[in-house]
Amino acid sequence: MADSFSNVIELPPDPLFGLKARFNLDKRADKVDLGIGAYRDNNGKPWILPAVKLAEEKLINDPNNNHEYLSISGFEPFLNNAAKVLLGSDSNQLSKVISQQSLSGTGALHLAGVFIKQFYKGNHTIYLSKPTWANHKQIFEYIGFKVENYPYWNNETKSLDLDGFLNSIKSAPNNSVFLLHACAHNPTGLDPTKNQWDLILKELEKKQHLIIFDSAYQGFASGDLEKDAYPIRKAINEEIISSPIIICQSFAKNVGMYGERVGAIHIIPSTKENNEAFNKAVKTQLNRIIRSEISNPPAYGSKIVATILQDSKLYDQWRKDLVTMSSRIIKMRKTLRSKLEELKTPGTWNHITDQTGMFSFTGLTPEMVARLEKSHGIYLVSSGRASVAGLNDNNVDKVAKAIDEVVKYYSKSKL
Amino acid sequence: MYKSQLIKQTQKQYIQSTRFLSSTCQLLKWNEIPLAPPDKILGITEAYINDSNSKKINLGVGAYRDNQGKPIIFPSVKRAEEILLQKENEKEYTPIIGSKKFQNIVKNFIFNNSGKDANGEQLIKDNRIVTSQTISGTGSLRVIADFLNRFYSNKKILVPKPTWANHVAVFKDAGLDPEFYNYYETSINDLDFENLKKSLINAPNESVVLLHACCHNPTGMDLTSEQWDEVLQIIQDKKFFPLVDMAYQGFASGKPYEDIYLIRKLTKKANENEIPTFALCQSFAKNMGLYGERTGSISIITANSNDSKAVESQLKKLIRPIYSSPPIHGSKIVEIIFEEPGLKDQWLNDLNKVVGRLNTVRSKLYEKLDKSNYNWDHLLKQRGMFVYTGLTPEQVIRLRNEFSVYATEDGRFSISGINDNNVEYLANAINEVIKK
């Protein structure tokens, strides 16, 4: 007994967590944090969306508000409106969607994995983009999936490796599982064009693969909810995909609900047949899984999001807030690129503005990233992924000059 | 009549749809997906809502209702929310296991009993307690079950008979092997302490044993201090790993510091290395009324600080792929209540009032029950949110069909559904169904 847990091995800390710890210890006044995965305003401060503050006031002043348990499925007004955000309020698929509230994006992906593992007869290999968000692999490995990669980012051209992507769709066994980033690909920030999406979806349909969309940045990428939902709406509303589709939706970024853990999993049944009993069974099984993991989902965040989505004034405010966030990030991309081009930093930098969302895959090497940290107090993960949200008018000049210095330093040393 | 038909109908639908599925799922590339059976308690609430009788009573709910039958927000919680709305300037993710502040509040409140438990204080000082915020009680049970499944030598988990229905589901789903130990004897409406001890002694060494810290759910019957001493001696001898579920701290006496002598005994045993390791699942669902905000914690008491480091790192690894980090609204409310001057006292006062009402209603019901041919003394021994009436399923169904009184068929009544306006009606209904 005394050594119940002496067999438990201590693990190294999460790399991102280590980065944050080093950043916090750094005493340089002009240090810059480009590791964070959360939005910052032009003063480098976290930002609660004005729409959220208004919704919170409304909720707290509502005499009927309470802290009772939600149903196992979650808060119905939240679920209905969240599906509308994804598919559009005029989608003819809305009546068929099976929705379950989840602990934000991770919770939704976990639930999708557990559900597929228990009931899907196809190939239990999941294909993830290379590279992808670090947690994707852990989420599915934890549940017992075999994890494979499909080519995505071409480091030479700093663009999409479409042929590689399509080839893996073709060569994967029929009925495999493919995880697609709906928009603002994490970590590269690079999304397929509409034409490229059309090709990708067509191939996926041919091979009858099961699609999971990870929708973590809708509206955050372009400021436009519709534009950022292109592949989802194409696949579902235009019935390009005949198999059931699973969407994992998070309001962490686009409503700034990060720590409130607000998300949902939506399952769109097969278009081939309308099977009421199947839909009902799916819903009860999702409930059963939730019941034995968390009983029922957290109420507060979902009530805030539902309040925003149901009140036309708050909804309009939210649309404005999305533009505020996305346009600031787009402006920072443009500024950084033009400064690097002015400095004649070796290489091409158009990819910074071609990419969307929170991150830019800069193409900087691990040694350049290390030098940025050591010599300039600029912190990003060693893959070269920079959080554009960490840039602002006060630090973008410094960051451009520092990148210029490290790129030139290593270009010279190579010569 | 109509109501029992309704239940039968639902069962029929369930069977039909299961059959229907097996033929069509082939086409869909999915295994047969049977309709999962509906949650019993929720089914009762649904039937209650659909009942048009104005005298209907819902005794199924596990949440507090005031004397008007309405849900409440604790005034201290309401105040904390107002403060939060004013001062909150970010909604960032907390670390995977919650904020340090929340962890420390929980450790100090529960193990150190806010400065009143020297043993707990020592354990904290020695870095022998690892605490993580969790998705309330269920989430903490799930996390510890997954953790034990990975790292503990034995998959057997002993749970009291009866216990909260979800305990078994959670443990099984996490890969543990639940087995009942004797706890309550319905024929005498009392704890069956001799058989409780016997079944523990006969269980395999090094099993995990689930203990309800207080206000046992569903029976409301707790062990006395002396009985805990005996049980802990067995646990020590058998080298069991105690897993404590504390969902109702404060609901016995109205005073959270006085309720939990099991924890005081365990911190002492841990400090003296007699029972060096245990775990505790805790939630603020009931005692702060934070139900839907899903605010709770898991604490693992380890043998030394090195083990703590390892355990903490593995807890993070376990939680990260399930939900990344816990929800902040409830935990920020807890932090404010414990930090803001005066607010904690107000909370203790709020809690005391809630428990006071439950105890008052309990004695009122007892008073009005017909004791001429039925012994109701167990009602006064039971504590917490429930009375375990000992009524048979048939009697419970008669209450439902003839009196619109809704409760689970095990005879567990949630006292919070009882108030001054309906206690007489309820007592009369019960008196009617127990008539020979």
Side-chain angles (χ1 to χ4, degrees), chain A residues 2 9 11 40 56 60 67-68 106 119 121 142 175 253 259-261 284-285 291-292 294-296 299, chain B residues 24 29 31 34 36 39 65 78 85 91-93 138 150 173 292-294 303 313-314 323-325 328:
Chain A
I9 305 157
L11 300 167
R40 293 289 178 269
E56 289 188 301
I60 204 172
H67 294 291
E68 297 286 294
T106 305
F119 296 110
K121 265 197 285 201
Y142 174 81
N175 304 315
K253 316 311 201 240
E260 304 288 1
R261 316 307 290 135
T284 63
Q285 292 294 350
R291 177 77 170 142
S292 75
I294 61 167
S295 269
N296 46 68
Chain B
T24 53
K29 298 176 297 183
N31 291 318
D39 195 90
R65 296 288 177 270
K78 187 82 186 153
L85 182 66
K91 289 186 179 289
E92 304 280 299
Y93 303 114
T138 307
R150 287 187 174 199
D173 217 48
E293 307 307 341
R294 317 307 292 131
S313 73
Q314 294 287 356
Y323 60 86
S324 279
S325 65
I328 54 178

Side-chain angles (χ1 to χ4, degrees), chain A residues 1-12 14 16-17 20 36-40 46-48 52-53 56-57 59-62 65-72 103-104 106-108 110 115-122 133-135 138-140 142-143 175 208-210 243-244 246 250 252-253 256-261 270 272-273 275-278 280-282 284-285 288-301 303-304, chain B residues 13 17 20-21 24-37 39 41-42 62-65 71-73 77-78 81-82 84-96 135 138-139 142 146-148 150-153 164 166 169-170 173 206 239-242 275-278 285-286 289-294 300-304 306-307 309-311 313-314 316-329 332-333:
Chain A
M1 268 302 282
D3 53 356
S4 284
F5 300 125
S6 59
N7 59 330
V8 183
I9 305 157
E10 186 178 354
L11 300 167
D14 188 82
L16 209 60
F17 195 80
K20 198 176 176 189
I36 37 140
Y39 181 77
R40 293 289 178 269
W47 195 58
I48 298 182
V52 169
K53 272 288 178 202
E56 289 188 301
E57 275 166 33
L59 188 65
I60 204 172
N61 291 319
D62 178 352
N65 184 38
N66 58 46
H67 294 291
E68 297 286 294
Y69 295 116
L70 298 180
S71 75
I72 301 175
L103 287 161
S104 203
T106 305
H110 168 76
F115 182 77
I116 293 169
K117 191 81 193 150
Q118 285 183 10
F119 296 110
Y120 188 53
K121 265 197 285 201
W133 180 46
N135 206 21
Q138 300 176 62
I139 288 169
F140 291 98
Y142 174 81
I143 300 160
N175 304 315
Q208 288 290 298
H209 293 316
L210 176 64
S243 307
I246 299 177
S250 153
K253 316 311 201 240
M257 285 282 107
Y258 308 101
E260 304 288 1
R261 316 307 290 135
S270 161
K272 278 185 202 152
E273 51 207 301
N275 187 339
E276 270 297 314
F278 176 80
K280 242 191 204 165
V282 168
T284 63
Q285 292 294 350
R288 185 190 52 78
I289 299 166
I290 286 285
R291 177 77 170 142
S292 75
E293 290 193 347
I294 61 167
S295 269
N296 46 68
Y300 185 75
K303 288 181 183 171
I304 295 299
Chain B
Q13 274 173 3
S17 56
F20 181 46
L21 276 168
T24 53
C25 279
Q26 305 290 338
L27 304 168
L28 291 162
K29 298 176 297 183
W30 295 81
N31 291 318
E32 186 181 305
I33 307 180
L35 208 61
D39 195 90
I41 294 172
L42 296 177
Y64 180 75
R65 296 288 177 270
I72 65 157
I73 298 180
V77 168
K78 187 82 186 153
E81 281 190 296
E82 283 160 7
L84 181 62
L85 182 66
Q86 275 174 18
K87 74 166 202 186
E88 191 178 36
N89 54 19
E90 47 84 16
K91 289 186 179 289
E92 304 280 299
Y93 303 114
T94 67
I96 300 170
I135 314 302
T138 307
R142 179 58 189 236
D146 279 338
F147 183 85
L148 292 171
R150 287 187 174 199
F151 297 109
Y152 190 62
S153 53
W164 180 46
N166 209 21
V170 169
D173 217 48
E206 295 190 13
K239 300 187 188 314
F240 289 155
F241 180 83
I275 299 177
T277 60
F278 67 95
K286 321 282 179 183
L290 289 179
Y291 312 103
E293 307 307 341
R294 317 307 292 131
I300 302 176
I301 288 67
T302 69
N304 56 60
N306 273 343
D307 283 3
K309 275 188 207 153
V311 165
S313 73
Q314 294 287 356
K316 289 177 186 165
K317 189 185 177 205
L318 193 75
I319 293 170
R320 175 74 166 143
I322 305 178
Y323 60 86
S324 279
S325 65
I328 54 178
H329 188 66
K332 283 184 177 178
I333 289 173

Side-chain angles (χ1 to χ4, degrees), chain B residues 414-425:
Chain B
S414 174
I415 308 178
S416 83
I418 311 174
N419 54 55
D420 289 344
N421 304 316
N422 63 20
V423 63
E424 182 122 23
Y425 174 81

Side-chain angles (χ1 to χ4, degrees), chain B residues 192-230:
Chain B
D192 183 2
F193 191 61
E194 285 315 305
N195 280 317
L196 184 157
K197 284 189 290 182
K198 235 180 250 168
S199 57
L200 288 182
I201 288 166
N202 289 330
N205 284 359
E206 295 190 13
S207 297
V208 181
V209 59
L210 178 77
L211 310 170
H212 295 224
C214 73
C215 306
H216 180 270
N217 180 0
T219 70
M221 201 68 91
D222 292 334
L223 272 59
T224 63
S225 177
E226 295 72 29
Q227 286 172 327
W228 276 126
D229 285 334
E230 285 187 63

Side-chain angles (χ1 to χ4, degrees), chain A residues 54 116 141 148 162 330 404:
Chain A
L54 291 169
I116 293 169
E141 276 179 350
E148 297 270 5
L162 182 66
I330 292 166
D404 182 62

Side-chain angles (χ1 to χ4, degrees), chain A residues 239-260:
Chain A
E239 305 193 359
I240 302 292
I241 301 293
S242 57
S243 307
I245 293 179
I246 299 177
I247 309 169
C248 298
Q249 180 185 31
S250 153
F251 289 97
K253 316 311 201 240
N254 59 5
V255 187
M257 285 282 107
Y258 308 101
E260 304 288 1

